Amino acid sequence: MPLMGDASLASVLYGASITYGTITAATQTVSAVIPVSTEKHVNKTEIVQQQKNDQMGMDSTMPRNLYLAFAGLLVLCMIISHPRFLARLFASLPTKKNQNTSVKVKVLPYSKESLESVNQLQETKREVSGGDLSQGWFLKRGEIENRIQIDSPLTTAGLSDTCSKKDPFASQFEEKLRNVQPIITKYQQQQQSENQVPVYYPPPHIIPLLEYLPFSSKFLLFTPFSKLPAKLHLKSYLTLPQIYLIGGYLILNCFALIWKSDLTPSSKDKGYGSDWMRSGLVATAQIPLTIALGVRGNIIGLCVGKGYERLKVYHKIVGRIVFLASTIHGAAYMYKWSVAGTFSAYAAKPFAMWGLLAYFALVLIVITSLPWVRKAWHGVFEICHFVGIVGLLVGLALHVPVAIPFCVAGMVIYLISIFCSVTKTRIAHAELQALPGAGMTIVTLPGLRTGWRAGQHVRIRIPALGFRKAFESHPFTIASAPNGDGLVLMCKRAGDWTNKLHELALRSTEFQDRGEGGSNQATVIVEGPYGGLGNTLAPSFSSVVLIAGGSGITQALSLGQDLVHRAPSGVVRARTIDFIWMVRNEEMAKPLMPTLIELVNEAKQWEIQCIEGRRKGLKKPNPTALRVKIFVTRCPASSPLTLLSSLENDEKDDDWKIEENKFIIQTDKHNSIRGLKRQPSAAEKEKLAYLLSRNPSSASTASTSTSTSSDSSSPKHNIPLSTISVNPVRPNFNIFLSSLADETISRYGRMMVNPSGILVTACGPESLTDATRQAVRNMEDYKKRGCGGIEFEDEHFGF
Ligand SMILES: Cc1cc2nc3c(=O)[nH]c(=O)nc-3n(C[C@H](O)[C@H](O)[C@H](O)COP(=O)(O)OP(=O)(O)OC[C@H]3O[C@@H](n4cnc5c(N)ncnc54)[C@H](O)[C@@H]3O)c2cc1C
């Protein structure tokens, strides 16, 4: 029993004036001096002693019991995520050496025989891929891939009024080359991809174990707190399984705090009593866990396949338990000492002073973590967290020796995390571009092209922002796909730091435009990548829906780009990617329109090649369509939307682009003119009229649903589906998801294959993610089963 022989600890255990040594000595003295005392008295002393020993034994084993329970919970979470992790591992295994799986394809003469020989040659080379376990750890320079160029907002000319239209890194010759490059690349790409055979199979799709539970569809996404008022600060996005996990953990802690612990005052004939040591031990034992859940180099996250940002909620809960237990411990002893009149004597003792220091450090952490302090002074919150953790660990280790192992463990976890952060940090040159209409700053790092997975985020520091803001690190989701032209971040103006960044970008652009020098380049310290979808593999799903609100487009953009870019290698199973973006006004969407249009074009080209290739009998994978739907939510009824038409006019002299734009827009018109859209039946018309009368905003969705289902039920289903549309209303997610499920079921039904689920991601304001979650939850069970399950992933721009 490690506690028994420790005098300082025993002093705390036994209360103010008695130490373990004195008690033992007193007991021995009693038996020595009064050897002939009555049998009854001796028995009583022995019983009291036995009670004390039991109590101390129970206290000392409590941290071990707690850790056994943590380990059990962790193993449970790991078992739940294990099948997905194995699937990811399997899809990440490197290709065998003798199989040259280079994406470069030999262009053979266009004859049936030669194409067949290419097919046979490459058929043997196809590998399962898409797990990307080797990606997402460190940012790297990478190589520029030879594929269709996707303009980043930075390289797009003619759209943003005040932003710089020149690429500062390109010479004049390079600029000219850049103008003709898309035409050349497109031609080469067409030539190549005519003969291209996919080199990979999509990764296996594993249904999460929890989905097999009865009533799982209603249970897994139920968020009971979302109905409560926001001022209660209960996390509205907590789902029922998360609440159960937290509830179970709280019960475990109550058990650890009170099981066989005697809190009544000690007395001569009643055992130990006043067991306020237990709460101190329970708090101390959980410090390493709290740190492990909160740090960026997150070992627990690694075990359960979740990013650190998704574990922050558990970090907060465990942190609050530590604070509560420490408060009980500290307050009880202070009260006891005050009642006994020994407070000042004890407060002067080193162990009590170190204990007080540790507690004040904890109070500092707690106060600066309050939501309103964190929002108002995030920098202060971060500094106080660092100072507080160091103070807490040092103070506690010097308070009682039993705390030393826990403090060392906490410190090691913290140091490992700092080491991870340092190894993940890069210094890179960035181009800054202000988009005042959208209230955004684009930060492009052309020197970092790979090393992240779509959906991950980085933390950036910009020394050029001045001394006070220089070393604040701010998280931003990477808006570009890996292996492209660089890492792109889109930072919306939200407060001090982002405002300063915007001003810096604006100022340098103005100076440049006036020819007064200045540069819109800045040195950026980037740390990451972190987070992302974990073991959820977007390419393994049959349909993908990316929903974004405002600046939340960053996550959807990188996932969308990644899937579209990788589709030609055969790794993407999804037939459709629905990209739904809600913006307040058109100004916000304008800067990104060229990127979106280019992306839709790229998807469409590949779709056409696949469909044509299949018609010719070539082995082509499933085409992947990108359907971009932009919803402008604050559009006055009197002014029609001009997003697509203004682009068409803006780029009259840019031949290749205008052609592409027309292509897309005309395809939409063409579809409707040629009657590829099924005319709604009388029943559908009635439903539409009813929906319109109930909720005007559902009109567009209802019509969309009619059109999407028409695609699937039409005999001419082998047509490219990639489109871009702009709508002046809010979408109705219930109707949209329901019709997408119908579409997926009917498409796979035709192919006599089971669909492998729909992935829905949402990023943006809480109301948007909540509405999406509810729509996923509300979908009928038979539809969910029919389409292979529907999964929901949300991202919050806050902790
Ligand atoms: C994982 C993640 C990804 C994000 N991705 C994007 C993105 O792609 N585009 C985008 O525009 N915004 C994104 N954000 C939000 C962005 O980090 C904040 O808007 C920005 O840090 C605000 O800083 P500020 O000083 O200008 O505003 P402040 O007024 O200081 O803060 C505004 C809000 O941002 C929070 N915040 C401030 N500083 C930090 C920080 N260092 N770390 C975390 N939160 C902070 C505050 O709590 C507050 O709620 C993301 C946030 C997170 C957590």
Side-chain angles (χ1 to χ4, degrees):
M1 290 215 288
L3 296 179
M4 294 280 284
D6 179 8
S8 64
L9 180 65
S11 73
V12 183
L13 280 172
Y14 284 99
S17 49
I18 313 168
T19 64
Y20 172 68
T22 49
I23 285 174
T24 321
T27 319
Q28 282 164 0
T29 320
V30 169
S31 24
V33 172
I34 325 169
V36 284
S37 62
T38 61
E39 198 181 317
K40 195 180 166 197
H41 183 86
V42 171
N43 281 348
K44 203 170 171 187
T45 314
E46 276 174 7
I47 289 166
V48 169
Q49 186 60 42
Q50 189 56 42
Q51 283 176 344
K52 285 171 185 170
N53 293 346
D54 286 353
Q55 192 71 59
M56 287 170 70
M58 188 56 80
D59 283 354
S60 64
T61 52
M62 217 27 99
R64 197 190 61 201
N65 295 346
L66 269 177
Y67 270 90
L68 281 175
F70 302 152
L73 277 180
L74 188 64
V75 168
L76 185 71
C77 295
M78 282 171 76
I79 289 172
I80 290 170
S81 69
H82 195 61
R84 287 217 142 170
F85 171 73
L86 284 184
R88 199 177 152 205
L89 181 71
F90 171 63
S92 307
L93 292 176
T95 48
K96 285 166 208 135
K97 266 192 188 151
N98 58 351
Q99 294 180 344
N100 176 18
T101 53
S102 159
V103 185
K104 282 176 201 152
V105 174
K106 272 192 216 165
V107 182
L108 295 175
Y110 193 84
S111 69
K112 197 169 174 250
E113 291 75 30
S114 58
L115 281 169
E116 271 170 5
S117 67
V118 172
N119 287 345
Q120 280 162 9
L121 192 79
Q122 303 224 351
E123 207 171 16
T124 52
K125 289 181 185 172
R126 287 188 73 180
E127 295 271 338
V128 173
S129 184
D132 308 323
L133 207 54
S134 60
Q135 297 295 316
W137 307 103
F138 300 103
L139 299 172
K140 294 176 214 150
R141 288 189 67 79
E143 298 295 319
I144 301 177
E145 280 195 354
N146 183 23
R147 58 164 180 72
I148 296 174
Q149 298 283 315
I150 299 293
D151 272 17
S152 89
L154 200 78
T155 55
T156 303
L159 282 160
S160 179
D161 31 12
T162 46
C163 52
S164 156
K165 290 157 193 161
K166 289 174 228 145
D167 179 351
F169 291 149
S171 67
Q172 269 191 354
F173 172 72
E174 280 172 331
E175 288 241 323
K176 276 184 192 154
L177 197 66
R178 187 186 281 271
N179 289 337
V180 292
Q181 187 69 28
I183 307 166
I184 299 167
T185 327
K186 200 185 115 194
Y187 176 75
Q188 284 173 347
Q189 193 75 22
Q190 255 172 0
Q191 289 283 309
Q192 283 190 358
S193 49
E194 271 290 299
N195 300 316
Q196 196 168 326
V197 189
V199 287
Y200 295 123
Y201 287 110
H205 178 73
I206 303 288
I207 299 172
L209 276 186
L210 287 180
E211 295 275 346
Y212 292 104
L213 291 177
F215 309 113
S216 61
S217 57
K218 299 288 167 210
F219 158 82
L220 291 178
L221 289 175
F222 180 41
T223 48
F225 295 159
S226 62
K227 303 269 178 300
L228 298 176
K231 59 181 171 208
L232 288 179
H233 289 300
L234 283 169
K235 296 285 171 199
S236 61
Y237 53 81
L238 280 183
T239 56
L240 212 51
Q242 284 176 309
I243 293 171
Y244 282 157
L245 187 67
I246 292 168
Y249 188 74
L250 290 178
I251 292 171
L252 181 74
N253 271 282
C254 291
F255 165 80
L257 279 171
I258 54 182
W259 176 249
K260 289 195 178 171
S261 174
D262 188 357
L263 300 180
T264 54
S266 48
S267 63
K268 265 190 204 162
D269 55 349
K270 185 185 74 67
Y272 178 80
S274 302
D275 184 16
W276 301 112
M277 179 64 190
R278 177 77 68 85
S279 46
L281 272 173
V282 167
T284 308
Q286 293 185 74
I287 287 171
L289 181 72
T290 319
I291 297 176
L293 285 169
V295 290
R296 294 204 274 279
N298 204 299
I299 300 162
I300 298 179
L302 219 57
C303 295
V304 298
K306 299 254 176 246
Y308 80 99
E309 76 284 4
R310 285 168 200 247
L311 298 181
K312 279 274 166 164
V313 61
Y314 304 108
H315 164 75
K316 288 182 189 175
I317 304 274
V318 182
R320 278 164 203 177
I321 292 175
V322 169
F323 177 65
L324 195 73
S326 323
T327 307
I328 294 173
H329 174 74
Y333 274 103
M334 282 187 205
Y335 174 74
K336 205 164 122 178
W337 292 338
S338 308
V339 169
T342 52
F343 182 82
S344 47
Y346 269 96
K349 293 200 175 193
F351 88 91
M353 281 167 68
W354 287 119
L356 274 178
L357 174 89
Y359 186 69
F360 285 135
L362 194 58
V363 170
L364 180 74
I365 294 176
V366 170
I367 290 178
T368 52
S369 305
L370 292 173
W372 60 271
V373 183
R374 213 175 53 224
K375 276 189 183 154
W377 301 292
H378 201 91
V380 175
F381 153 78
E382 289 204 336
I383 293 169
C384 290
H385 239 69
F386 176 75
V387 174
I389 288 171
V390 175
L392 175 68
L393 294 181
V394 172
L396 209 55
L398 296 169
H399 175 54
V400 280
V402 74
I404 291 176
F406 298 107
C407 295
V408 171
M411 191 56 93
V412 168
I413 294 169
Y414 199 55
L415 289 177
I416 290 177
S417 157
I418 292 176
F419 176 75
C420 288
S421 302
V422 171
T423 52
K424 277 173 169 263
T425 300
R426 305 278 178 275
I427 297 176
H429 285 288
E431 297 167 44
L432 307 179
Q433 182 187 6
L435 304 177
M440 235 182 221
T441 315
I442 307 288
V443 179
T444 308
L445 295 102
L448 295 173
R449 292 193 203 94
T450 187
W452 68 92
R453 287 179 73 208
Q456 287 191 303
H457 70 269
V458 289
R459 301 184 70 95
I460 57 169
R461 294 177 173 85
I462 303 186
L465 291 183
F467 181 71
R468 271 192 57 231
K469 300 278 161 204
F471 296 101
E472 270 183 35
S473 89
H474 288 256
F476 293 98
T477 306
I478 303 171
S480 52
N483 306 313
D485 297 338
L487 189 151
V488 179
L489 303 173
M490 297 167 63
C491 314
K492 194 176 178 226
R493 296 175 64 171
D496 277 4
W497 192 90
T498 39
N499 282 341
K500 275 210 145 201
L501 176 67
H502 193 75
E503 279 160 25
L504 178 74
L506 264 183
R507 238 188 355 253
S508 45
T509 311
E510 274 169 19
F511 280 139
Q512 270 199 336
D513 286 354
R514 289 205 302 260
E516 293 173 16
S519 158
N520 64 350
Q521 292 180 40
T523 302
V524 177
I525 303 168
V526 207
E527 183 195 321
Y530 293 112
L533 296 184
N535 292 332
T536 304
L537 298 176
S540 74
F541 288 84
S542 296
S543 305
V544 176
V545 184
L546 309 169
I547 297 176
S551 57
I553 191 180
T554 46
Q555 189 209 34
L557 200 56
S558 70
L559 279 167
Q561 282 188 351
D562 187 48
L563 291 173
V564 169
H565 291 344
R566 294 209 285 173
S569 70
V571 81
V572 180
R573 183 172 286 124
R575 173 66 180 95
T576 54
I577 303 166
D578 286 282
F579 189 116
I580 297 173
W581 186 24
M582 268 164 298
V583 284
R584 285 194 182 157
N585 50 47
E586 287 185 279
E587 277 306 298
M588 175 119 197
K590 249 185 193 172
L592 276 181
M593 289 307 286
T595 306
L596 292 174
I597 287 176
E598 276 299 293
L599 204 58
V600 175
N601 275 332
E602 187 178 337
K604 193 153 206 155
Q605 279 171 23
W606 174 242
E607 253 193 297
I608 292 169
Q609 277 158 23
C610 284
I611 293 167
E612 288 299 310
R614 283 176 160 206
R615 255 185 220 138
K616 288 175 193 162
L618 301 178
K619 280 212 183 300
K620 290 277 179 188
N622 264 337
T624 299
L626 178 68
R627 300 186 290 207
V628 176
K629 298 178 182 95
I630 300 169
F631 293 89
V632 184
T633 53
R634 289 196 191 161
C635 172
S638 52
S639 60
L641 291 170
T642 55
L643 261 181
L644 288 174
S645 52
S646 69
L647 277 174
E648 207 176 355
N649 296 333
D650 276 358
E651 299 183 5
K652 280 242 153 32
D653 42 344
D654 201 344
D655 283 351
W656 71 275
K657 262 187 187 158
I658 188 87
E659 233 182 72
E660 300 289 15
N661 288 342
K662 273 186 180 158
F663 181 56
I664 291 164
I665 296 158
Q666 278 177 0
T667 313
D668 281 350
K669 288 176 193 161
H670 171 86
N671 282 352
S672 54
I673 292 165
R674 293 265 300 270
L676 293 177
K677 280 185 187 169
R678 182 169 54 90
Q679 288 303 310
S681 65
E684 279 165 348
K685 277 182 187 162
E686 207 173 300
K687 185 178 169 190
L688 187 63
Y690 170 74
L691 286 169
L692 266 168
S693 64
R694 291 288 303 267
N695 175 12
S697 70
S698 63
S700 83
T701 323
S703 61
T704 313
S705 74
T706 316
S707 77
T708 48
S709 57
S710 72
D711 290 338
S712 57
S713 59
S714 160
K716 296 178 180 176
H717 53 262
N718 251 348
I719 52 161
L721 301 175
S722 299
T723 51
I724 184 162
S725 63
V726 185
N727 309 276
V729 284
R730 279 173 198 278
N732 184 321
F733 295 126
N734 287 318
I735 298 178
F736 170 74
L737 288 179
S738 178
S739 64
L740 181 71
D742 289 341
E743 186 188 344
T744 310
I745 293 167
S746 76
R747 178 174 302 122
Y748 279 78
R750 274 199 308 269
M751 296 193 290
M752 314 275 274
V753 179
N754 283 336
S756 52
I758 300 178
L759 173 68
V760 182
T761 69
C763 182
E766 209 160 306
S767 56
L768 175 103
T769 50
D770 208 39
T772 316
R773 188 188 297 104
Q774 292 313 325
V776 172
R777 189 168 169 258
N778 291 344
M779 191 191 278
E780 295 91 332
D781 277 348
Y782 75 92
K783 282 197 183 178
K784 283 186 187 168
R785 275 196 303 277
C787 65
I790 178 161
E791 281 178 44
F792 176 68
E793 293 279 344
D794 55 348
E795 164 142 325
H796 303 270
F797 279 179
F799 297 123

